[in-house]
Amino acid sequence: MGKLKRVVLSLLEIIVILSIGLLFTTYILRPIYENFGIQLTGNVWVNWFGVSYILFVLYSLIVGFFISRESILFKQRLTSVFFWLIFIGSIYVVFIPFIKGENPF
């Protein structure tokens, strides 16, 4: 029963972070882009994933360092190279429209 509980909690974390990421993309990122003259059109899901993953990294940092210091899951997540490479890609996805002047996705 312990594994099932962890899986359900992980799925709940993912669903909540994706939902918050969608709200951030719609109500915060879109107005910021439009303020800089950038239209958020095309594959908006790429930007949504980027915002959601940045929120996931922030969540993992807060929980891993302050709340659940002894959790093996968060220790492995924060020491994973793949975790940080995707984070760098997410930052690129969110901030490249400011450099290019358009949403290339």
Side-chain angles (χ1 to χ4, degrees):
M1 191 64 178
K3 284 187 178 184
L4 180 63
K5 183 179 177 182
R6 280 185 268 167
V7 169
V8 169
L9 286 174
S10 294
L11 286 174
L12 186 63
E13 286 176 347
I14 291 168
I15 291 170
V16 167
I17 288 174
L18 284 172
S19 300
I20 293 171
L22 180 62
L23 292 173
F24 269 55
T25 303
T26 305
Y27 295 110
I28 296 175
L29 190 63
R30 182 182 302 266
I32 292 172
Y33 279 177
E34 289 174 354
N35 198 21
F36 283 91
I38 302 167
Q39 291 184 355
L40 189 60
T41 57
N43 293 328
V44 178
W45 67 269
V46 176
N47 300 90
W48 170 35
F49 178 78
V51 170
S52 296
Y53 198 79
I54 290 170
L55 292 173
F56 179 68
V57 169
L58 292 174
Y59 163 77
S60 296
L61 286 172
I62 291 169
V63 172
F65 286 137
F66 299 114
I67 298 172
S68 184
R69 291 193 112 156
E70 301 302 319
S71 173
I72 295 171
L73 174 70
F74 287 103
K75 283 183 182 179
Q76 289 176 344
R77 187 182 293 166
L78 293 176
T79 58
S80 170
V81 173
F82 191 63
F83 177 79
W84 293 109
L85 287 175
I86 295 176
F87 177 63
I88 292 168
S90 298
I91 290 175
Y92 174 80
V93 163
V94 172
F95 290 106
I96 197 66
F98 295 111
I99 297 169
K100 290 189 116 182
E102 64 179 5
N103 188 12
F105 310 106

PDB file of all heavy atoms in Angstrom, residues 2-35:
ATOM      1  N   GLY A   2       2.070   1.165   0.518  1.00  0.00           N
ATOM      2  CA  GLY A   2       2.946   2.324   0.582  1.00  0.00           C
ATOM      3  C   GLY A   2       3.367   2.811  -0.789  1.00  0.00           C
ATOM      4  O   GLY A   2       3.437   4.013  -1.037  1.00  0.00           O
ATOM      5  N   LYS A   3       3.654   1.863  -1.711  1.00  0.00           N
ATOM      6  CA  LYS A   3       4.056   2.250  -3.063  1.00  0.00           C
ATOM      7  C   LYS A   3       2.902   2.909  -3.806  1.00  0.00           C
ATOM      8  O   LYS A   3       3.107   3.887  -4.526  1.00  0.00           O
ATOM      9  CB  LYS A   3       4.549   1.046  -3.853  1.00  0.00           C
ATOM     10  CG  LYS A   3       5.914   0.591  -3.474  1.00  0.00           C
ATOM     11  CD  LYS A   3       6.390  -0.492  -4.411  1.00  0.00           C
ATOM     12  CE  LYS A   3       7.799  -0.906  -4.052  1.00  0.00           C
ATOM     13  NZ  LYS A   3       8.333  -1.893  -4.986  1.00  0.00           N
ATOM     14  N   LEU A   4       1.704   2.366  -3.635  1.00  0.00           N
ATOM     15  CA  LEU A   4       0.526   2.944  -4.291  1.00  0.00           C
ATOM     16  C   LEU A   4       0.293   4.373  -3.807  1.00  0.00           C
ATOM     17  O   LEU A   4      -0.015   5.266  -4.608  1.00  0.00           O
ATOM     18  CB  LEU A   4      -0.710   2.080  -4.036  1.00  0.00           C
ATOM     19  CG  LEU A   4      -2.008   2.576  -4.659  1.00  0.00           C
ATOM     20  CD1 LEU A   4      -1.896   2.579  -6.179  1.00  0.00           C
ATOM     21  CD2 LEU A   4      -3.168   1.714  -4.205  1.00  0.00           C
ATOM     22  N   LYS A   5       0.470   4.605  -2.542  1.00  0.00           N
ATOM     23  CA  LYS A   5       0.297   5.943  -1.970  1.00  0.00           C
ATOM     24  C   LYS A   5       1.314   6.916  -2.569  1.00  0.00           C
ATOM     25  O   LYS A   5       0.972   8.041  -2.918  1.00  0.00           O
ATOM     26  CB  LYS A   5       0.441   5.878  -0.446  1.00  0.00           C
ATOM     27  CG  LYS A   5       0.198   7.192   0.235  1.00  0.00           C
ATOM     28  CD  LYS A   5       0.335   7.049   1.734  1.00  0.00           C
ATOM     29  CE  LYS A   5       0.169   8.371   2.441  1.00  0.00           C
ATOM     30  NZ  LYS A   5       0.356   8.242   3.893  1.00  0.00           N
ATOM     31  N   ARG A   6       2.570   6.465  -2.704  1.00  0.00           N
ATOM     32  CA  ARG A   6       3.600   7.330  -3.288  1.00  0.00           C
ATOM     33  C   ARG A   6       3.322   7.644  -4.753  1.00  0.00           C
ATOM     34  O   ARG A   6       3.533   8.765  -5.206  1.00  0.00           O
ATOM     35  CB  ARG A   6       4.973   6.692  -3.145  1.00  0.00           C
ATOM     36  CG  ARG A   6       5.556   6.899  -1.762  1.00  0.00           C
ATOM     37  CD  ARG A   6       6.934   6.367  -1.694  1.00  0.00           C
ATOM     38  NE  ARG A   6       6.764   4.970  -1.222  1.00  0.00           N
ATOM     39  CZ  ARG A   6       7.695   4.054  -1.250  1.00  0.00           C
ATOM     40  NH1 ARG A   6       8.875   4.325  -1.720  1.00  0.00           N
ATOM     41  NH2 ARG A   6       7.462   2.843  -0.803  1.00  0.00           N
ATOM     42  N   VAL A   7       2.838   6.650  -5.479  1.00  0.00           N
ATOM     43  CA  VAL A   7       2.515   6.860  -6.894  1.00  0.00           C
ATOM     44  C   VAL A   7       1.359   7.846  -7.037  1.00  0.00           C
ATOM     45  O   VAL A   7       1.405   8.756  -7.867  1.00  0.00           O
ATOM     46  CB  VAL A   7       2.189   5.513  -7.590  1.00  0.00           C
ATOM     47  CG1 VAL A   7       1.592   5.739  -8.957  1.00  0.00           C
ATOM     48  CG2 VAL A   7       3.431   4.654  -7.679  1.00  0.00           C
ATOM     49  N   VAL A   8       0.334   7.685  -6.226  1.00  0.00           N
ATOM     50  CA  VAL A   8      -0.818   8.594  -6.283  1.00  0.00           C
ATOM     51  C   VAL A   8      -0.398  10.011  -5.903  1.00  0.00           C
ATOM     52  O   VAL A   8      -0.812  10.984  -6.542  1.00  0.00           O
ATOM     53  CB  VAL A   8      -1.967   8.078  -5.382  1.00  0.00           C
ATOM     54  CG1 VAL A   8      -3.060   9.112  -5.218  1.00  0.00           C
ATOM     55  CG2 VAL A   8      -2.545   6.788  -5.948  1.00  0.00           C
ATOM     56  N   LEU A   9       0.437  10.145  -4.890  1.00  0.00           N
ATOM     57  CA  LEU A   9       0.912  11.474  -4.499  1.00  0.00           C
ATOM     58  C   LEU A   9       1.772  12.107  -5.596  1.00  0.00           C
ATOM     59  O   LEU A   9       1.670  13.308  -5.852  1.00  0.00           O
ATOM     60  CB  LEU A   9       1.692  11.408  -3.187  1.00  0.00           C
ATOM     61  CG  LEU A   9       0.852  11.205  -1.933  1.00  0.00           C
ATOM     62  CD1 LEU A   9       1.747  11.019  -0.721  1.00  0.00           C
ATOM     63  CD2 LEU A   9      -0.100  12.361  -1.716  1.00  0.00           C
ATOM     64  N   SER A  10       2.601  11.309  -6.250  1.00  0.00           N
ATOM     65  CA  SER A  10       3.418  11.833  -7.349  1.00  0.00           C
ATOM     66  C   SER A  10       2.545  12.285  -8.515  1.00  0.00           C
ATOM     67  O   SER A  10       2.782  13.349  -9.104  1.00  0.00           O
ATOM     68  CB  SER A  10       4.407  10.780  -7.832  1.00  0.00           C
ATOM     69  OG  SER A  10       5.347  10.502  -6.838  1.00  0.00           O
ATOM     70  N   LEU A  11       1.543  11.492  -8.857  1.00  0.00           N
ATOM     71  CA  LEU A  11       0.621  11.896  -9.923  1.00  0.00           C
ATOM     72  C   LEU A  11      -0.139  13.164  -9.553  1.00  0.00           C
ATOM     73  O   LEU A  11      -0.351  14.042 -10.395  1.00  0.00           O
ATOM     74  CB  LEU A  11      -0.357  10.765 -10.238  1.00  0.00           C
ATOM     75  CG  LEU A  11       0.217   9.592 -11.014  1.00  0.00           C
ATOM     76  CD1 LEU A  11      -0.806   8.475 -11.123  1.00  0.00           C
ATOM     77  CD2 LEU A  11       0.669  10.026 -12.385  1.00  0.00           C
ATOM     78  N   LEU A  12      -0.537  13.270  -8.300  1.00  0.00           N
ATOM     79  CA  LEU A  12      -1.226  14.476  -7.834  1.00  0.00           C
ATOM     80  C   LEU A  12      -0.308  15.690  -7.923  1.00  0.00           C
ATOM     81  O   LEU A  12      -0.742  16.766  -8.354  1.00  0.00           O
ATOM     82  CB  LEU A  12      -1.728  14.271  -6.412  1.00  0.00           C
ATOM     83  CG  LEU A  12      -2.589  15.375  -5.835  1.00  0.00           C
ATOM     84  CD1 LEU A  12      -3.879  15.510  -6.645  1.00  0.00           C
ATOM     85  CD2 LEU A  12      -2.902  15.099  -4.383  1.00  0.00           C
ATOM     86  N   GLU A  13       0.957  15.526  -7.534  1.00  0.00           N
ATOM     87  CA  GLU A  13       1.933  16.612  -7.665  1.00  0.00           C
ATOM     88  C   GLU A  13       2.043  17.068  -9.120  1.00  0.00           C
ATOM     89  O   GLU A  13       2.029  18.268  -9.406  1.00  0.00           O
ATOM     90  CB  GLU A  13       3.320  16.167  -7.205  1.00  0.00           C
ATOM     91  CG  GLU A  13       3.511  16.027  -5.745  1.00  0.00           C
ATOM     92  CD  GLU A  13       4.883  15.480  -5.410  1.00  0.00           C
ATOM     93  OE1 GLU A  13       5.599  14.987  -6.316  1.00  0.00           O
ATOM     94  OE2 GLU A  13       5.252  15.543  -4.228  1.00  0.00           O
ATOM     95  N   ILE A  14       2.147  16.116 -10.036  1.00  0.00           N
ATOM     96  CA  ILE A  14       2.299  16.444 -11.450  1.00  0.00           C
ATOM     97  C   ILE A  14       1.072  17.172 -11.980  1.00  0.00           C
ATOM     98  O   ILE A  14       1.187  18.193 -12.670  1.00  0.00           O
ATOM     99  CB  ILE A  14       2.571  15.158 -12.263  1.00  0.00           C
ATOM    100  CG1 ILE A  14       3.949  14.617 -11.923  1.00  0.00           C
ATOM    101  CG2 ILE A  14       2.455  15.419 -13.754  1.00  0.00           C
ATOM    102  CD1 ILE A  14       4.210  13.222 -12.441  1.00  0.00           C
ATOM    103  N   ILE A  15      -0.105  16.683 -11.641  1.00  0.00           N
ATOM    104  CA  ILE A  15      -1.341  17.317 -12.114  1.00  0.00           C
ATOM    105  C   ILE A  15      -1.474  18.730 -11.562  1.00  0.00           C
ATOM    106  O   ILE A  15      -1.828  19.662 -12.291  1.00  0.00           O
ATOM    107  CB  ILE A  15      -2.560  16.450 -11.753  1.00  0.00           C
ATOM    108  CG1 ILE A  15      -2.549  15.169 -12.583  1.00  0.00           C
ATOM    109  CG2 ILE A  15      -3.866  17.211 -11.960  1.00  0.00           C
ATOM    110  CD1 ILE A  15      -3.553  14.132 -12.151  1.00  0.00           C
ATOM    111  N   VAL A  16      -1.162  18.915 -10.293  1.00  0.00           N
ATOM    112  CA  VAL A  16      -1.263  20.253  -9.681  1.00  0.00           C
ATOM    113  C   VAL A  16      -0.251  21.201 -10.310  1.00  0.00           C
ATOM    114  O   VAL A  16      -0.580  22.346 -10.649  1.00  0.00           O
ATOM    115  CB  VAL A  16      -1.082  20.160  -8.145  1.00  0.00           C
ATOM    116  CG1 VAL A  16      -0.866  21.526  -7.536  1.00  0.00           C
ATOM    117  CG2 VAL A  16      -2.282  19.481  -7.518  1.00  0.00           C
ATOM    118  N   ILE A  17       0.984  20.756 -10.513  1.00  0.00           N
ATOM    119  CA  ILE A  17       2.005  21.629 -11.093  1.00  0.00           C
ATOM    120  C   ILE A  17       1.674  21.970 -12.541  1.00  0.00           C
ATOM    121  O   ILE A  17       1.837  23.115 -12.973  1.00  0.00           O
ATOM    122  CB  ILE A  17       3.403  20.990 -10.943  1.00  0.00           C
ATOM    123  CG1 ILE A  17       3.809  21.060  -9.473  1.00  0.00           C
ATOM    124  CG2 ILE A  17       4.430  21.694 -11.816  1.00  0.00           C
ATOM    125  CD1 ILE A  17       5.073  20.353  -9.127  1.00  0.00           C
ATOM    126  N   LEU A  18       1.175  21.006 -13.310  1.00  0.00           N
ATOM    127  CA  LEU A  18       0.763  21.305 -14.686  1.00  0.00           C
ATOM    128  C   LEU A  18      -0.405  22.286 -14.714  1.00  0.00           C
ATOM    129  O   LEU A  18      -0.455  23.180 -15.570  1.00  0.00           O
ATOM    130  CB  LEU A  18       0.399  20.018 -15.423  1.00  0.00           C
ATOM    131  CG  LEU A  18       1.571  19.165 -15.882  1.00  0.00           C
ATOM    132  CD1 LEU A  18       1.066  17.832 -16.417  1.00  0.00           C
ATOM    133  CD2 LEU A  18       2.401  19.884 -16.919  1.00  0.00           C
ATOM    134  N   SER A  19      -1.342  22.149 -13.785  1.00  0.00           N
ATOM    135  CA  SER A  19      -2.478  23.079 -13.721  1.00  0.00           C
ATOM    136  C   SER A  19      -2.023  24.487 -13.365  1.00  0.00           C
ATOM    137  O   SER A  19      -2.454  25.465 -13.982  1.00  0.00           O
ATOM    138  CB  SER A  19      -3.507  22.594 -12.699  1.00  0.00           C
ATOM    139  OG  SER A  19      -3.988  21.330 -13.033  1.00  0.00           O
ATOM    140  N   ILE A  20      -1.156  24.597 -12.385  1.00  0.00           N
ATOM    141  CA  ILE A  20      -0.635  25.913 -11.999  1.00  0.00           C
ATOM    142  C   ILE A  20       0.192  26.497 -13.138  1.00  0.00           C
ATOM    143  O   ILE A  20       0.139  27.697 -13.416  1.00  0.00           O
ATOM    144  CB  ILE A  20       0.174  25.809 -10.693  1.00  0.00           C
ATOM    145  CG1 ILE A  20      -0.753  25.456  -9.532  1.00  0.00           C
ATOM    146  CG2 ILE A  20       0.907  27.111 -10.394  1.00  0.00           C
ATOM    147  CD1 ILE A  20      -0.031  25.124  -8.247  1.00  0.00           C
ATOM    148  N   GLY A  21       0.957  25.654 -13.824  1.00  0.00           N
ATOM    149  CA  GLY A  21       1.738  26.112 -14.973  1.00  0.00           C
ATOM    150  C   GLY A  21       0.852  26.650 -16.086  1.00  0.00           C
ATOM    151  O   GLY A  21       1.181  27.639 -16.729  1.00  0.00           O
ATOM    152  N   LEU A  22      -0.286  26.002 -16.316  1.00  0.00           N
ATOM    153  CA  LEU A  22      -1.233  26.494 -17.319  1.00  0.00           C
ATOM    154  C   LEU A  22      -1.795  27.844 -16.918  1.00  0.00           C
ATOM    155  O   LEU A  22      -1.899  28.760 -17.748  1.00  0.00           O
ATOM    156  CB  LEU A  22      -2.366  25.491 -17.526  1.00  0.00           C
ATOM    157  CG  LEU A  22      -3.418  25.878 -18.557  1.00  0.00           C
ATOM    158  CD1 LEU A  22      -2.797  26.025 -19.940  1.00  0.00           C
ATOM    159  CD2 LEU A  22      -4.541  24.849 -18.572  1.00  0.00           C
ATOM    160  N   LEU A  23      -2.137  27.998 -15.647  1.00  0.00           N
ATOM    161  CA  LEU A  23      -2.638  29.292 -15.168  1.00  0.00           C
ATOM    162  C   LEU A  23      -1.564  30.369 -15.289  1.00  0.00           C
ATOM    163  O   LEU A  23      -1.854  31.498 -15.712  1.00  0.00           O
ATOM    164  CB  LEU A  23      -3.115  29.172 -13.720  1.00  0.00           C
ATOM    165  CG  LEU A  23      -4.356  28.314 -13.499  1.00  0.00           C
ATOM    166  CD1 LEU A  23      -4.625  28.132 -12.011  1.00  0.00           C
ATOM    167  CD2 LEU A  23      -5.558  28.919 -14.193  1.00  0.00           C
ATOM    168  N   PHE A  24      -0.329  30.051 -14.928  1.00  0.00           N
ATOM    169  CA  PHE A  24       0.768  31.016 -15.065  1.00  0.00           C
ATOM    170  C   PHE A  24       0.984  31.402 -16.527  1.00  0.00           C
ATOM    171  O   PHE A  24       1.197  32.572 -16.840  1.00  0.00           O
ATOM    172  CB  PHE A  24       2.067  30.442 -14.489  1.00  0.00           C
ATOM    173  CG  PHE A  24       2.309  30.748 -13.053  1.00  0.00           C
ATOM    174  CD1 PHE A  24       1.374  30.429 -12.083  1.00  0.00           C
ATOM    175  CD2 PHE A  24       3.483  31.341 -12.651  1.00  0.00           C
ATOM    176  CE1 PHE A  24       1.595  30.714 -10.757  1.00  0.00           C
ATOM    177  CE2 PHE A  24       3.722  31.625 -11.325  1.00  0.00           C
ATOM    178  CZ  PHE A  24       2.773  31.309 -10.373  1.00  0.00           C
ATOM    179  N   THR A  25       0.930  30.407 -17.409  1.00  0.00           N
ATOM    180  CA  THR A  25       1.127  30.682 -18.832  1.00  0.00           C
ATOM    181  C   THR A  25       0.023  31.577 -19.369  1.00  0.00           C
ATOM    182  O   THR A  25       0.287  32.516 -20.113  1.00  0.00           O
ATOM    183  CB  THR A  25       1.176  29.366 -19.625  1.00  0.00           C
ATOM    184  OG1 THR A  25       2.211  28.549 -19.099  1.00  0.00           O
ATOM    185  CG2 THR A  25       1.452  29.623 -21.094  1.00  0.00           C
ATOM    186  N   THR A  26      -1.200  31.298 -18.982  1.00  0.00           N
ATOM    187  CA  THR A  26      -2.348  32.045 -19.498  1.00  0.00           C
ATOM    188  C   THR A  26      -2.449  33.445 -18.912  1.00  0.00           C
ATOM    189  O   THR A  26      -2.655  34.411 -19.648  1.00  0.00           O
ATOM    190  CB  THR A  26      -3.647  31.270 -19.211  1.00  0.00           C
ATOM    191  OG1 THR A  26      -3.522  29.962 -19.759  1.00  0.00           O
ATOM    192  CG2 THR A  26      -4.838  31.970 -19.817  1.00  0.00           C
ATOM    193  N   TYR A  27      -2.308  33.557 -17.608  1.00  0.00           N
ATOM    194  CA  TYR A  27      -2.595  34.827 -16.948  1.00  0.00           C
ATOM    195  C   TYR A  27      -1.375  35.671 -16.595  1.00  0.00           C
ATOM    196  O   TYR A  27      -1.513  36.843 -16.269  1.00  0.00           O
ATOM    197  CB  TYR A  27      -3.420  34.580 -15.681  1.00  0.00           C
ATOM    198  CG  TYR A  27      -4.777  34.010 -15.998  1.00  0.00           C
ATOM    199  CD1 TYR A  27      -5.103  32.701 -15.681  1.00  0.00           C
ATOM    200  CD2 TYR A  27      -5.729  34.771 -16.659  1.00  0.00           C
ATOM    201  CE1 TYR A  27      -6.337  32.170 -15.984  1.00  0.00           C
ATOM    202  CE2 TYR A  27      -6.968  34.254 -16.969  1.00  0.00           C
ATOM    203  CZ  TYR A  27      -7.270  32.961 -16.630  1.00  0.00           C
ATOM    204  OH  TYR A  27      -8.489  32.440 -16.944  1.00  0.00           O
ATOM    205  N   ILE A  28      -0.191  35.112 -16.644  1.00  0.00           N
ATOM    206  CA  ILE A  28       1.008  35.890 -16.314  1.00  0.00           C
ATOM    207  C   ILE A  28       1.941  35.994 -17.524  1.00  0.00           C
ATOM    208  O   ILE A  28       2.347  37.091 -17.909  1.00  0.00           O
ATOM    209  CB  ILE A  28       1.740  35.282 -15.097  1.00  0.00           C
ATOM    210  CG1 ILE A  28       0.842  35.380 -13.857  1.00  0.00           C
ATOM    211  CG2 ILE A  28       3.070  35.982 -14.862  1.00  0.00           C
ATOM    212  CD1 ILE A  28       1.388  34.709 -12.639  1.00  0.00           C
ATOM    213  N   LEU A  29       2.290  34.855 -18.130  1.00  0.00           N
ATOM    214  CA  LEU A  29       3.256  34.877 -19.227  1.00  0.00           C
ATOM    215  C   LEU A  29       2.696  35.536 -20.478  1.00  0.00           C
ATOM    216  O   LEU A  29       3.387  36.314 -21.134  1.00  0.00           O
ATOM    217  CB  LEU A  29       3.735  33.458 -19.541  1.00  0.00           C
ATOM    218  CG  LEU A  29       4.907  33.343 -20.498  1.00  0.00           C
ATOM    219  CD1 LEU A  29       6.140  34.014 -19.895  1.00  0.00           C
ATOM    220  CD2 LEU A  29       5.188  31.895 -20.811  1.00  0.00           C
ATOM    221  N   ARG A  30       1.437  35.239 -20.818  1.00  0.00           N
ATOM    222  CA  ARG A  30       0.831  35.835 -22.016  1.00  0.00           C
ATOM    223  C   ARG A  30       0.822  37.367 -21.946  1.00  0.00           C
ATOM    224  O   ARG A  30       1.276  38.023 -22.886  1.00  0.00           O
ATOM    225  CB  ARG A  30      -0.574  35.295 -22.248  1.00  0.00           C
ATOM    226  CG  ARG A  30      -1.217  35.849 -23.500  1.00  0.00           C
ATOM    227  CD  ARG A  30      -2.637  35.336 -23.698  1.00  0.00           C
ATOM    228  NE  ARG A  30      -2.720  33.891 -23.770  1.00  0.00           N
ATOM    229  CZ  ARG A  30      -2.705  33.200 -24.915  1.00  0.00           C
ATOM    230  NH1 ARG A  30      -2.617  33.828 -26.060  1.00  0.00           N
ATOM    231  NH2 ARG A  30      -2.796  31.889 -24.901  1.00  0.00           N
ATOM    232  N   PRO A  31       0.346  37.980 -20.825  1.00  0.00           N
ATOM    233  CA  PRO A  31       0.405  39.453 -20.769  1.00  0.00           C
ATOM    234  C   PRO A  31       1.828  40.019 -20.813  1.00  0.00           C
ATOM    235  O   PRO A  31       2.055  41.083 -21.391  1.00  0.00           O
ATOM    236  CB  PRO A  31      -0.278  39.795 -19.441  1.00  0.00           C
ATOM    237  CG  PRO A  31      -1.116  38.620 -19.125  1.00  0.00           C
ATOM    238  CD  PRO A  31      -0.411  37.439 -19.702  1.00  0.00           C
ATOM    239  N   ILE A  32       2.787  39.301 -20.229  1.00  0.00           N
ATOM    240  CA  ILE A  32       4.172  39.781 -20.273  1.00  0.00           C
ATOM    241  C   ILE A  32       4.683  39.750 -21.704  1.00  0.00           C
ATOM    242  O   ILE A  32       5.303  40.705 -22.176  1.00  0.00           O
ATOM    243  CB  ILE A  32       5.071  38.943 -19.332  1.00  0.00           C
ATOM    244  CG1 ILE A  32       4.705  39.204 -17.877  1.00  0.00           C
ATOM    245  CG2 ILE A  32       6.536  39.257 -19.577  1.00  0.00           C
ATOM    246  CD1 ILE A  32       5.401  38.297 -16.892  1.00  0.00           C
ATOM    247  N   TYR A  33       4.428  38.638 -22.411  1.00  0.00           N
ATOM    248  CA  TYR A  33       4.829  38.552 -23.816  1.00  0.00           C
ATOM    249  C   TYR A  33       4.155  39.642 -24.642  1.00  0.00           C
ATOM    250  O   TYR A  33       4.801  40.297 -25.457  1.00  0.00           O
ATOM    251  CB  TYR A  33       4.466  37.188 -24.401  1.00  0.00           C
ATOM    252  CG  TYR A  33       5.438  36.073 -24.093  1.00  0.00           C
ATOM    253  CD1 TYR A  33       5.172  34.780 -24.527  1.00  0.00           C
ATOM    254  CD2 TYR A  33       6.607  36.274 -23.385  1.00  0.00           C
ATOM    255  CE1 TYR A  33       6.042  33.735 -24.273  1.00  0.00           C
ATOM    256  CE2 TYR A  33       7.473  35.242 -23.112  1.00  0.00           C
ATOM    257  CZ  TYR A  33       7.192  33.981 -23.558  1.00  0.00           C
ATOM    258  OH  TYR A  33       8.067  32.948 -23.303  1.00  0.00           O
ATOM    259  N   GLU A  34       2.860  39.834 -24.456  1.00  0.00           N
ATOM    260  CA  GLU A  34       2.140  40.832 -25.237  1.00  0.00           C
ATOM    261  C   GLU A  34       2.623  42.240 -24.918  1.00  0.00           C
ATOM    262  O   GLU A  34       2.610  43.112 -25.780  1.00  0.00           O
ATOM    263  CB  GLU A  34       0.639  40.697 -25.001  1.00  0.00           C
ATOM    264  CG  GLU A  34       0.071  39.444 -25.642  1.00  0.00           C
ATOM    265  CD  GLU A  34      -1.386  39.207 -25.313  1.00  0.00           C
ATOM    266  OE1 GLU A  34      -1.958  39.960 -24.485  1.00  0.00           O
ATOM    267  OE2 GLU A  34      -1.956  38.246 -25.875  1.00  0.00           O
ATOM    268  N   ASN A  35       3.058  42.474 -23.701  1.00  0.00           N
ATOM    269  CA  ASN A  35       3.599  43.775 -23.321  1.00  0.00           C
ATOM    270  C   ASN A  35       4.898  44.073 -24.077  1.00  0.00           C
ATOM    271  O   ASN A  35       5.217  45.228 -24.346  1.00  0.00           O
ATOM    272  CB  ASN A  35       3.841  43.813 -21.811  1.00  0.00           C
ATOM    273  CG  ASN A  35       3.970  45.210 -21.289  1.00  0.00           C
ATOM    274  OD1 ASN A  35       3.529  46.166 -21.905  1.00  0.00           O
ATOM    275  ND2 ASN A  35       4.566  45.332 -20.122  1.00  0.00           N
TER     276      ASN A  35
END
